[in-house]
Amino acid sequence: MKNLIVASTSTIHGEAYLEYLLGAVSELYKNTSEILFIPYARPGGISHDEYTSKANEAFRKINKTLKGIHSYEDPIDAIQKANGIFTGGGNTFLLVKMLHDLGLLSTLRAAIFDGTPYLGTSAGSNICGVNMQTTNDMPIVYPPSFKTLGVIPFNINPHYLDPDPSSTHMGETRETRIKEFHTQNTIPVVGLREGSWLEVRGDKVVLRGNHSCRVFVKDNIPYEINSGTEIDNL
Amino acid sequence: MKNLIVASTSTIHGEAYLEYLLGAVSELYKNTSEILFIPYARPGGISHDEYTSKANEAFRKINKTLKGIHSYEDPIDAIQKANGIFTGGGNTFLLVKMLHDLGLLSTLRAAIFDGTPYLGTSAGSNICGVNMQTTNDMPIVYPPSFKTLGVIPFNINPHYLDPDPSSTHMGETRETRIKEFHTQNTIPVVGLREGSWLEVRGDKVVLRGNHSCRVFVKDNIPYEINSGTEIDNL
């Protein structure tokens, strides 16, 4: 049975890395002390080692150890044997290209469907959707496909931002970008504000955290779903 | 001799479409009254016809008429015969996919090198760079390649935004995104603030408008170039 946390962000303003999520993460990984870390998204371009070391600092607080997938000779075997998996945020294009190039997507998908506890933050949450086409990231590399894991039946827009009525900037709002997505795609999109996450248990998806989320369905007016509510029938 | 205006944005806050640029645009197209419009970026998902009609409203003020490339049976022939070309903003992925799918990039590049006056705004400016990998847009479609026109020897980041020190949002700043780009690419990037444009005459590129631009070169500290200055030797 699927068992995931799909979080908008790793970090809330003014807090330490993963701090707001540590209770839920501790519960997610209650049956394992070692977790496989996928650092391919490399936020700010830091190395796989640096990223793994940074993430380990947070996990030490809940007595867990992360081991970076890049340190294994056989990453497919590492995923199959893992008792818990965490994919960190950063650049979604880089993450998805690495997963495709190394042929890891189908193995990762199978592990999640088999019940391996999975945590994703930001880019690591984007890849839980049907495709990565609602990422906010810059296309710094060209992945062989935009398809992702499809372990939830909709797309995520992480770090969702409401339009700022006082802004004088003429770049598209997030809502306009998602509307443009829906001129070309029919996949529903859940805009997850920072501090929100999805708790996925089997086919049940419940919104957690301090905020409502914003739901975008093609040809419909966007609407809000409150925290604590199941997200169903989009 | 190349003759281009490569603008950060079509519209400045509080002004009409293209208003701030009309003087420069009138000068660019001084030898023609009819301009070929490339509406493929479809801002907000509007149709090619709607977009052409909207852009025509601005051009009417300088006694010019736009004709949308979608209304021609042979778009390659339309580009080759055009006396002026304007590519409007919107979604860069959509624009680049259309240009690749219709096989128009090499023809458009040749026309620009032959001296056909060209105006690009936002997505229409992104495609003047070496590739589209410093766009801010959402990847709503999958183009067969990220390569673009390469009529200037660097990439553009349009709608460039300085980091906001008062922001509590944890999404990447524009500067962080471009830094991530430079972990994977060596192409210099010019961050063009809204209200700025590049005036390209042959191989000479001069920054115009009210702002300085921010220049990003791999492994170097970003720096500013003032309006009125040639951008050279990046």
Side-chain angles (χ1 to χ4, degrees):
Chain A
M1 192 179 85
K2 285 185 286 185
N3 185 17
L4 299 88
I5 292 175
V6 178
S8 173
T9 183
S10 63
T11 315
I12 287 180
H13 183 74
E15 287 194 5
Y17 183 71
L18 286 178
E19 188 175 339
Y20 80 103
L21 261 181
L22 281 180
V25 169
S26 188
E27 174 65 21
L28 175 75
Y29 295 130
K30 64 184 172 194
N31 295 321
T32 183
S33 61
E34 191 173 294
I35 293 130
L36 182 69
F37 181 53
I38 301 180
Y40 296 145
R42 300 180 53 193
I46 61 173
S47 72
H48 296 151
D49 276 343
E50 286 170 313
Y51 196 11
T52 306
S53 164
K54 178 193 169 182
N56 246 323
E57 277 175 41
F59 275 75
R60 213 169 290 132
K61 296 174 190 167
I62 51 169
N63 299 310
K64 313 276 182 197
T65 306
L66 292 182
K67 197 164 167 193
I69 193 169
H70 62 290
S71 65
Y72 289 86
E73 264 196 39
D74 183 347
I76 290 181
D77 186 63
I79 291 172
Q80 285 169 337
K81 289 192 176 142
N83 294 315
I85 299 172
F86 168 33
T87 305
N91 186 285
T92 310
F93 290 85
L94 197 52
L95 171 61
V96 169
K97 184 173 191 304
M98 285 292 283
L99 292 173
H100 277 289
D101 286 353
L102 297 170
L104 301 182
L105 275 166
S106 60
T107 309
L108 184 53
R109 180 182 156 92
I112 292 170
F113 271 90
D114 281 351
T116 307
Y118 177 94
L119 167 66
T121 58
S122 194
S125 295
N126 258 320
I127 62 169
C128 293
V130 180
N131 64 43
M132 56 162 286
Q133 293 181 236
T134 49
T135 177
N136 310 307
D137 295 337
M138 198 171 255
I140 64 172
V141 292
Y142 184 71
S145 161
F146 283 161
K147 280 193 189 159
T148 48
L149 295 169
V151 293
I152 49 175
F154 47 81
N155 270 12
I156 295 294
N157 179 250
H159 302 279
Y160 182 75
L161 264 182
D162 293 287
D164 173 3
S166 72
S167 172
T168 60
H169 186 68
M170 302 302 287
E172 293 86 350
T173 64
R174 199 65 62 80
E175 190 155 323
T176 299
R177 293 174 193 278
I178 296 169
K179 188 178 159 196
E180 289 178 356
F181 172 78
H182 277 144
T183 66
Q184 306 293 319
N185 300 271
T186 56
I187 303 161
V189 180
V190 171
L192 274 182
R193 297 183 176 90
E194 294 180 347
S196 290
W197 69 93
L198 303 178
E199 176 192 274
V200 183
R201 302 274 180 275
D203 288 333
K204 192 172 174 184
V205 180
V206 177
L207 179 67
R208 299 291 180 197
N210 291 329
H211 309 286
S212 60
C213 69
R214 193 156 185 86
V215 176
F216 301 86
V217 176
K218 183 179 166 70
D219 297 332
N220 280 267
I221 295 167
Y223 62 96
E224 297 284 319
I225 289 183
N226 288 328
S227 184
T229 308
E230 190 173 347
I231 298 179
D232 198 11
N233 291 318
L234 298 191
Chain B
M1 191 180 87
K2 285 183 288 184
N3 186 16
L4 298 89
I5 292 176
V6 178
S8 174
T9 184
S10 62
T11 315
I12 287 181
H13 183 74
E15 287 194 5
Y17 184 71
L18 286 177
E19 187 173 339
Y20 80 102
L21 261 180
L22 281 180
V25 168
S26 188
E27 174 65 21
L28 176 75
Y29 295 130
K30 64 185 171 194
N31 294 322
T32 182
S33 61
E34 192 174 293
I35 293 130
L36 182 69
F37 182 52
I38 301 181
Y40 296 146
R42 299 180 55 194
I46 61 172
S47 72
H48 297 150
D49 276 342
E50 286 171 314
Y51 196 11
T52 306
S53 163
K54 178 193 169 183
N56 246 324
E57 278 176 41
F59 276 75
R60 213 169 289 130
K61 297 175 188 167
I62 52 170
N63 300 310
K64 312 276 182 197
T65 305
L66 293 182
K67 197 165 167 194
I69 193 169
H70 62 290
S71 66
Y72 289 86
E73 264 195 39
D74 182 348
I76 289 181
D77 186 63
I79 290 172
Q80 285 168 338
K81 290 191 177 143
N83 294 316
I85 299 172
F86 169 33
T87 305
N91 186 284
T92 309
F93 290 85
L94 197 53
L95 171 62
V96 169
K97 183 175 192 305
M98 286 293 282
L99 292 173
H100 277 289
D101 287 353
L102 297 171
L104 301 182
L105 275 166
S106 59
T107 309
L108 184 53
R109 179 182 157 92
I112 292 171
F113 271 89
D114 280 351
T116 308
Y118 177 93
L119 167 65
T121 58
S122 194
S125 294
N126 258 320
I127 63 170
C128 293
V130 181
N131 63 42
M132 57 161 286
Q133 294 182 234
T134 49
T135 176
N136 309 307
D137 294 338
M138 199 171 254
I140 64 172
V141 293
Y142 184 70
S145 162
F146 283 161
K147 280 194 190 160
T148 48
L149 295 169
V151 293
I152 49 175
F154 47 81
N155 270 11
I156 296 292
N157 179 251
H159 303 280
Y160 182 75
L161 263 182
D162 293 288
D164 172 4
S166 72
S167 171
T168 60
H169 187 68
M170 301 303 286
E172 292 85 351
T173 63
R174 199 65 63 80
E175 190 156 322
T176 299
R177 294 173 192 279
I178 296 169
K179 189 178 159 198
E180 289 178 358
F181 172 78
H182 276 144
T183 66
Q184 307 292 320
N185 301 271
T186 55
I187 304 161
V189 180
V190 171
L192 275 183
R193 297 182 175 91
E194 293 180 348
S196 291
W197 68 94
L198 302 178
E199 176 193 274
V200 183
R201 300 273 180 276
D203 289 333
K204 192 172 175 185
V205 181
V206 177
L207 179 67
R208 298 291 180 198
N210 292 328
H211 309 287
S212 59
C213 68
R214 193 155 184 87
V215 176
F216 302 86
V217 176
K218 184 179 167 68
D219 297 332
N220 280 269
I221 295 168
Y223 61 96
E224 299 283 319
I225 289 183
N226 289 329
S227 184
T229 308
E230 188 174 349
I231 297 180
D232 199 12
N233 292 319
L234 297 191

